[in-house]
Amino acid sequence: MTSGFFADADRIAARAGEFTEHAERARAIAAALDEVLCRTGNAWGSDATGAAFAARHAPDADRVRDRVAALPAHLRDAGDRLAEVAARYREAEGEAADRIVGIARDPER
């Protein structure tokens, strides 16, 4: 038998709020990375070896760069979802408490 389920909605909501800060930090990191990569340019060169390297690895690097750029939005979304979980938990807990009070007042209910 389990001891039940417990969620601390206030703590969940507080942690959800931290995702805004995480998203901003990720945005700054992505911007700094993008700036450095733009300044670096075609670091592998334009000879045959460099062209072969670029053909093989540049598309993967672009995908990673896009994912890093998208990370702030994903972090904000995760924070929003956690905040919604906390709100729904509070709502469900309130409804359950109201039902218990109602049953206590009218056991025939």
Side-chain angles (χ1 to χ4, degrees), residues 1 5 14 17-18 20 36 38 65 69 73 75 85 89 92 98 104 109:
M1 180 136 234
F5 175 79
E18 294 174 7
T20 301
V36 168
C38 286
R65 196 171 174 178
L75 288 170
V85 164
Y89 183 80
D98 289 346
R109 198 171 158 191

Side-chain angles (χ1 to χ4, degrees), residues 5 10 12-14 29 31 35 40 55 58 63-64 78 91-93 99 101 105 108:
F5 175 79
D10 293 333
I12 293 170
I29 290 169
E35 180 184 336
T40 303
R63 280 192 288 278
V64 169
E91 182 180 327
E93 191 174 50
R99 285 187 191 136
V101 168
R105 288 185 184 150
E108 299 298 317

